[in-house]
Amino acid sequence: MVGKELHLLLNYEEIKNSPLLSRFLEFVVEKKLSGRDEEIKEYTIGVKALGKPKDFNPQLDASVRIHAGRLRKILQDYYSGPGRDDTVHIDIPKGTYIPVFENRLTNTRHKTVVTSNTPEQDEKTKAAIPQQGPKPILAVLPFHNLSSDNSKDFFVKGIGEQLSTDFARFQNISVISYYSIDKYEIDLHDLQQMKKLLNIDYALTGSVRFINDLIRLNVQLIKVGNGQIIFADTYTKQLTVENIFEVQEEITTEILDVVAGDHGVIVNDQIRSAARVDQNFDVKEAVFSYFDYTSEFENEKYSTTITVLEKAVAVDPHNALALSLLASMYMYGYCTKKENDEALLERSLDLSITAVHSDPNCQHALQAMAWALQLSGKKEKSLELIERCIRLNPKATSVIALMALAYVCQGEYAEGLRWLNETKHLSPTVPGAAKFGYCLYYFNKGDYEESLRWLDRLGPVQTALFLLIRISLNGQIHKSKIPVSPGEFEKINNIQSIVGRMVLDPALRSKILEGLSLAGLTVK
C-alpha cells in the first residue's frame, strides 16, 4: 500500500519535475519501509539522496532542511487536492525526516513501518526519531549598490558572501546564501513566496552607497512571515584602496553578533514568539530558554531552565545543542553553589562528552566539555578543546568570552587577554563572562582598582564567589579589615572550596585568599 502511494507521489507533477525532491522522498520512504530509520539523517539524505560530497556539513549547508520544507508543502498541497481520497497518506512531520504513514481507512498514523516489526525494532525506531524542530532559517539576500559607480560591485557582493559564510558558523540558525537562492528563481521581493517554497524565517538584506571616500551601508533583518523589520542599522566607514577588505571585515563583524549571537535579535525574537504561543513542548523552545536565562542570569529562572532542558534531552537524547546547554547549566550550578556538589560536575562532563560525540562540530558542546575537563583537573585536554572550540567560530562573542575566562582561570593570562580583547572588538556589549575574565586578569596583575571596576560592571548577577572576590579586593586595596554584614557571612562558608572550584591558578587563588584574610575573614 505504501509502495503504491509512493509511486503516485513520484508521478505527481510538482515532485516529478524535481529530481532532487523525487530522490529525497524515495530515499526516506524506502529506508523507513526497510526498518532502517537510523539512516534517515540530514547527512545521509544530503550525501545519498541529494548528491552532496562526503565532506557535506549540515551545519554549514541548509539545503536538506530547505528541500524538506519544500517537500512538506508539496505533500500538503497534494493531499489537499488530487490525493485527498488516497487510502494511504505519506507525511514528513516538521522536526523530523522520518516519514509517517497514515491509513485513511482505519484513521491511524504509524510511526513505525506499515509492514510488521519486532517490538525491539519499534523501540529502536521511536528512539531514532528526532523531536527538535528545525533551527530558524536565515537567507542572506543580495545587497544593492545604489551608487552610479559600478566599479565597486565586487565589494557589495563580498559583503553578502562574507555574511553568509560567517553566519553559517553560528549554532542558533541555519543559513542559505543568496547564491543558493538564485538557483530557485525566486522573486526576492516576494517574501511570502520565499516563506512558502524555502521555509525561510528571516531575510537579511541591505544597500550600499559610495560617497567620495565614504561607504554607507544600510542593513535590514526582516521577519519573512509578516514582513516586519526587526533590526535595522547604518554603518558608515572611511574607504581607501588599502583598507577595503578591513572595512568589509569590520562591517560584517559588527552585524554578526547583533543578529545571530546567543543573545542576538533572532534568538530574542524566537524567545518572544515562544512566549506568545501556547503549543506542545518543543526542544527548540528549551534551547531558547537557556539563552533567555543567560542574558540576565535571573535566579528564579535557573530551576525552570534546568527542567525544560532535562525534558528536551529526554525527548531527543542525541541533540548536541540541548545536551551541551544542560551540561553548562549543571556546571554553572557546580561553580556557584555554596556547597561543593561533585555530582553536578560529573553530570556536566558526561553530557558534554555525549554532545561532542553526537556532533563534533557543535561549538557549545566543545565549550561545555572544555570547561568540564578544566574543572575536573584535566588542564591539557581542556586547553586542546578550547583551541578547537574557538576555531569553529571565532566570531561567536558569548562562546569566545567563556573560552577567554577559561584561559584566565587556568592561569593562561596572555591567551586569556587576547580573547577578552577580541570580545570587545566583536560586540559593543561585553558579555558577563568577559567582564569576570577582566576582573580576574587585573586581580592577578595586582591592579585591584581596575579589577573591582570590572566586577562592578557585572551588575546584579551575584554569587558567593563574586562576593568573596569583592571582599578580597577591598582587603587588598585598603590592607585592613572591612565591615561585613551578618547576612553576607552566611554566604561565605567553605571559602577555599568556593574559590578553588573555579579559580584554578594557584597564584591567583593565593592572592584572593590573602585579600580575604586582610579583610578580616577566617579562611577555611
Side-chain angles (χ1 to χ4, degrees):
M1 294 171 65
V2 175
K4 180 180 178 181
E5 184 65 17
L6 174 61
H7 178 75
L8 291 173
L9 285 169
L10 292 176
N11 282 281
Y12 178 51
E13 185 177 3
E14 295 294 324
I15 296 177
K16 184 178 180 180
N17 292 337
S18 173
L20 283 176
L21 293 185
S22 296
R23 292 199 299 270
F24 191 126
L25 179 63
E26 192 171 16
F27 177 82
V28 298
V29 171
E30 288 182 353
K31 292 297 181 186
K32 177 70 176 177
L33 287 173
S34 62
R36 295 155 71 182
D37 290 29
E38 69 278 1
E39 295 184 30
I40 308 177
K41 297 179 179 178
E42 192 169 355
Y43 174 80
T44 52
I45 293 171
V47 173
K48 295 185 178 181
L50 305 185
K52 295 289 182 180
K54 289 185 178 180
D55 62 355
F56 167 61
N57 186 345
Q59 295 286 338
L60 303 180
D61 186 338
S63 56
V64 174
R65 295 185 287 277
I66 290 166
H67 288 303
R70 294 177 63 207
L71 185 55
R72 290 187 187 101
K73 180 63 175 62
I74 290 172
L75 290 174
Q76 181 182 351
D77 292 344
Y78 174 76
Y79 289 120
S80 299
R84 68 168 61 89
D85 296 324
D86 290 2
T87 303
V88 173
H89 284 197
I90 297 175
D91 184 24
I92 302 176
K94 193 172 183 180
T96 180
Y97 302 116
I98 300 176
V100 170
F101 309 135
E102 181 177 3
N103 189 326
R104 304 292 287 183
L105 294 179
T106 59
N107 197 31
T108 57
R109 289 169 66 89
H110 298 271
K111 290 190 177 181
T112 55
V113 294
V114 173
T115 56
S116 61
N117 258 355
T118 65
E120 290 79 12
Q121 287 174 315
D122 287 347
E123 288 304 313
K124 185 177 180 182
T125 297
K126 290 176 184 176
I129 298 176
Q131 301 295 320
Q132 182 191 20
K135 300 175 186 177
I137 296 178
L138 169 68
V140 179
L141 306 183
F143 280 63
H144 305 288
N145 183 359
L146 300 183
S147 304
S148 57
D149 180 7
N150 296 326
S151 65
K152 295 187 179 67
D153 280 354
F154 74 94
F155 178 90
V156 180
K157 290 181 180 179
I159 289 284
E161 182 182 32
Q162 186 68 45
L163 284 168
S164 295
T165 302
D166 289 343
F167 275 133
R169 292 180 167 187
F170 283 80
Q171 302 287 302
N172 313 318
I173 60 174
S174 297
V175 180
I176 178 170
S177 72
Y178 56 82
Y179 292 117
S180 299
I181 289 177
D182 282 346
K183 299 176 183 177
Y184 299 110
E185 299 182 354
I186 294 173
D187 180 358
L188 299 182
H189 296 93
D190 190 340
L191 295 178
Q192 292 307 312
Q193 185 190 27
M194 291 171 58
K195 180 70 175 176
K196 177 181 177 181
L197 295 181
L198 300 180
N199 203 29
I200 289 169
D201 299 292
Y202 302 93
L204 185 84
T205 188
S207 62
V208 182
R209 288 179 174 85
F210 298 96
I211 309 167
N212 298 324
D213 59 346
L214 291 178
I215 176 177
R216 177 169 294 170
L217 185 141
N218 294 315
V219 176
Q220 294 181 342
L221 179 68
I222 303 167
K223 193 168 184 177
V224 176
N226 56 16
Q228 178 187 3
I229 297 175
I230 60 174
F231 167 76
D233 209 342
T234 299
Y235 304 86
T236 302
K237 303 285 183 181
Q238 195 87 19
L239 191 66
T240 67
V241 175
E242 291 77 19
N243 76 350
I244 192 164
F245 293 111
E246 288 81 0
V247 167
Q248 179 176 304
E249 178 73 13
E250 285 179 19
I251 292 174
T252 55
T253 297
E254 289 180 32
I255 295 170
L256 287 171
D257 195 66
V258 173
V259 171
D262 285 354
H263 306 116
V265 176
I266 289 179
V267 168
N268 286 326
D269 183 64
Q270 292 285 310
I271 291 169
R272 288 193 299 271
S273 298
R276 289 195 300 266
V277 180
D278 182 17
Q279 50 186 253
N280 294 330
F281 178 80
D282 188 332
V283 174
K284 183 171 66 176
E285 292 176 30
V287 168
F288 286 125
S289 73
Y290 168 87
F291 297 128
D292 184 31
Y293 167 72
T294 54
S295 65
E296 296 291 341
F297 288 94
E298 298 176 38
N299 289 333
E300 59 270 19
K301 291 183 179 180
Y302 178 79
S303 296
T304 302
T305 306
I306 288 276
T307 300
V308 295
L309 282 171
E310 287 176 337
K311 186 175 181 181
V313 168
V315 169
D316 189 356
H318 303 291
N319 187 303
L321 186 56
L323 286 163
S324 56
L325 299 186
L326 181 57
S328 296
M329 291 297 294
Y330 285 147
M331 205 160 355
Y332 183 74
Y334 169 77
C335 291
T336 58
K337 281 177 175 285
K338 288 184 287 184
E339 300 301 324
N340 188 352
D341 189 346
E342 292 288 341
L344 285 175
L345 179 57
E346 291 175 11
R347 274 183 254 165
S348 178
L349 182 58
D350 288 344
L351 284 167
S352 62
I353 290 172
T354 304
V356 171
H357 285 168
S358 296
D359 183 359
N361 292 315
C362 177
Q363 192 177 32
H364 283 283
L366 291 176
Q367 166 200 297
M369 189 172 174
W371 264 103
L373 288 170
Q374 172 171 310
L375 298 176
S376 301
K378 299 177 174 63
K379 178 177 178 178
E380 294 306 316
K381 290 184 178 179
S382 174
L383 289 173
E384 290 177 12
L385 279 182
I386 291 172
E387 292 176 9
R388 279 180 56 193
C389 179
I390 290 174
R391 282 199 305 269
L392 275 176
N393 185 3
K395 296 183 179 180
T397 309
S398 61
V399 175
I400 299 304
L402 281 164
M403 294 297 88
L405 176 60
Y407 273 130
V408 170
C409 287
Q410 293 194 48
E412 301 291 332
Y413 294 103
E415 279 298 291
L417 181 62
R418 171 192 171 192
W419 291 107
L420 287 171
N421 290 337
E422 183 65 14
T423 63
K424 293 196 289 187
H425 171 66
L426 291 171
S427 173
T429 304
V430 180
K435 294 174 183 176
F436 189 44
Y438 275 119
C439 167
L440 296 180
Y441 174 82
Y442 285 110
F443 200 127
N444 180 69
K445 283 193 69 176
D447 190 343
Y448 303 121
E449 287 84 359
E450 183 65 12
S451 177
L452 186 58
R453 278 193 285 271
W454 279 104
L455 187 63
D456 288 338
R457 292 178 193 178
L458 280 166
V461 182
Q462 290 299 327
T463 66
L465 178 60
F466 290 179
L467 175 61
L468 288 171
I469 289 176
R470 184 178 298 279
I471 294 171
S472 177
L473 283 168
N474 279 287
Q476 292 284 12
I477 291 169
H478 301 292
K479 304 297 181 185
S480 63
K481 294 182 179 181
I482 60 171
V484 181
S485 70
E488 289 177 312
F489 272 115
E490 293 173 4
K491 299 178 184 178
I492 51 179
N493 297 320
N494 309 312
I495 287 176
Q496 291 201 41
S497 171
I498 293 171
V499 174
R501 267 177 260 160
M502 192 166 181
V503 181
L504 304 177
D505 174 33
L508 175 57
R509 192 163 59 239
S510 295
K511 288 182 181 180
I512 294 173
L513 297 178
E514 178 188 57
L516 291 170
S517 296
L518 289 170
L521 294 187
T522 301
V523 177
K524 57 182 179 179

